[in-house]
């Protein structure tokens, strides 16, 4: 893995690949943004990526983000990309401006209640399980219209798009049908509800070029930018600083 190369160098390669994928699909480069996924990495890595030009950062655990974000450079927009439990909504809303992993009506209702109470105005995406894999989080496509209905009735939440995870495969082409399916769902629900759902959060280190060809606007990149992840061991002080 390219752990020794500066993030700025790797990011240039990644941006070139994104540009090529955009050209192939007739898309504008401006419509695709990299989310640097810093889970298991420390504030030093956030700093390096920020200095390299990364502006959006993703974390998958509220508890980890709760110490890391205050310890990191200020300025990034932080995105929660991992599963959110309802009992962690309060700290999550204090940390993240975008929640990619909204997957139930009950979670939306809790988000709306706490956001309203605390004056937060988060953007939300609905996580859709387009592969049908039972191990994956996310809504089944047929459940989504009901959830959109509820989201549209929330005054503190803004629904701006959809997120998915393709089943892991070493061959990125195998992810393509799932990304295409998410985009088709998006197009259908935009028409059905007469709304815009501009954000498609799809594609990770192994399949982001294919995701861009299929319409991704946010690619979530960890390993390709930052190398293999160290095992995450919370420090005592980190846990103490965290209040649910
Ligand atoms: C870890 C993670 C990523 C980044 O994965 P890489 O393969 O390291 O790029 C993207 N999305 C989610 C939801 C993740 O948990």
């Amino acid at each position: 893995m390219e752990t020794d190369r500066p993030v700025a160098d790797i990011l240039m390669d990644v941006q070139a690949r994104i540009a090529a994928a955009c050209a192939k699909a007739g898309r504008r480069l401006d419509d695709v943004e990299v989310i640097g996924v810093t889970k298991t990495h420390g504030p030093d890595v956030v700093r390096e990526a920020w200095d390299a030009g990364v502006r959006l950062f993703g974390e998958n655990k509220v508890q980890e983000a709760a110490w890391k974000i205050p310890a990191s450079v200020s300025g990034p927009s932080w995105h929660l990309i991992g599963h959110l439990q309802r009992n962690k909504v309060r700290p999550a809303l204090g940390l993240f401006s975008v929640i990619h992993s909204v997957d139930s009506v009950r979670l939306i209702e809790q988000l709306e209640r706490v956001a309203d109470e605390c004056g937060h105005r988060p953007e939300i995406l609905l996580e859709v399980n387009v592969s049908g894999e039972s191990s994956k989080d996310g809504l089944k496509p047929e459940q989504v219209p009901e959830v959109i209905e509820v989201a549209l009735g929330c005054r503190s939440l803004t629904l701006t798009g959809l997120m998915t995870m393709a089943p892991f495969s070493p061959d990125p082409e195998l992810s393509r049908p799932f990304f295409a399916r998410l985009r088709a769902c998006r197009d259908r629900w935009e028409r059905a509800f007469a709304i815009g759902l501009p954000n498609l959060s799809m594609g990770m280190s192994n399949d982001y070029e294919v995701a861009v060809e299929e319409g991704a606007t946010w690619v979530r990149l960890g390993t390709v930018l930052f190398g293999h992840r160290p095992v995450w061991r919370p420090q005592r002080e980190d846990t103490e600083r965290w209040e649910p």
Side-chain angles (χ1 to χ4, degrees):
M1 211 51 223
E2 311 179 279
T3 40
D4 296 337
R5 284 180 70 204
V7 171
D9 284 7
I10 300 170
L11 187 63
M12 284 220 297
D13 289 352
V14 166
Q15 293 288 12
R17 287 171 181 271
I18 291 174
C22 281
K24 198 167 157 189
R27 302 188 55 206
R28 286 160 24 104
L29 183 54
D30 287 356
D31 293 339
V32 183
E33 271 186 289
V34 169
I35 298 177
V37 177
T38 42
K39 65 188 183 198
T40 75
H41 295 285
D44 52 324
V45 169
V46 178
R47 173 92 228 185
E48 189 185 357
W50 172 263
D51 288 343
V54 177
R55 289 295 171 263
L56 313 180
F57 288 83
E59 287 287 332
N60 68 335
K61 292 199 174 84
V62 175
Q63 182 167 359
E64 185 181 334
W67 74 269
K68 189 183 301 177
I69 293 176
S72 292
V73 59
S74 59
S77 166
W78 288 93
H79 294 220
L80 180 64
I81 60 175
H83 184 69
L84 176 58
Q85 291 170 318
R86 279 182 301 135
N87 63 0
K88 294 197 180 134
V89 158
R90 194 171 295 272
L93 286 177
L95 295 163
F96 296 100
S97 51
V98 187
I99 315 259
H100 290 227
S101 45
V102 175
D103 61 359
S104 73
V105 167
R106 291 174 80 200
L107 179 59
I108 292 193
E109 287 170 348
Q110 179 74 358
L111 283 164
E112 165 75 352
R113 192 158 40 238
V114 176
D116 206 37
E117 194 182 302
C118 302
H120 295 301
R121 292 288 177 273
E123 234 180 85
I124 62 167
L125 307 186
L126 301 182
E127 180 172 355
V128 187
N129 178 348
V130 284
S131 68
E133 266 191 319
S134 57
S135 63
K136 287 266 184 294
D137 294 320
L139 294 153
K140 296 191 183 102
E142 61 268 28
Q143 298 174 309
V144 172
E146 180 205 342
V147 181
I148 291 178
E149 200 81 70
V150 174
L152 294 178
C154 294
R155 61 176 192 178
S156 294
L157 312 179
T158 308
L159 173 65
T160 68
L162 307 173
M163 181 269 223
T164 201
M165 292 186 56
F168 179 80
S169 154
D171 177 1
E173 281 303 324
L174 297 182
S175 300
R176 190 185 293 279
F178 302 112
F179 298 150
R181 201 172 294 167
L182 190 71
R183 188 191 49 192
C185 284
R186 187 273 305 272
D187 294 349
R188 188 162 79 237
W189 295 325
E190 280 191 329
R191 280 195 304 275
F193 289 91
I195 55 173
L197 296 168
N199 292 318
L200 288 180
S201 169
M202 55 190 199
M204 308 186 358
S205 292
N206 63 309
D207 54 17
Y208 68 94
E209 293 159 272
V210 167
V212 169
E213 287 173 23
E214 295 301 328
T217 60
W218 277 331
V219 290
R220 308 181 307 265
L221 304 181
T223 314
V224 69
L225 293 178
F226 309 126
H228 285 296
R229 283 183 277 276
V231 175
W232 168 249
R233 280 190 211 87
Q235 303 295 305
R236 209 175 119 75
E237 59 195 287
D238 304 334
T239 314
E240 279 170 0
R241 242 182 283 163
W242 180 66
E243 289 174 23

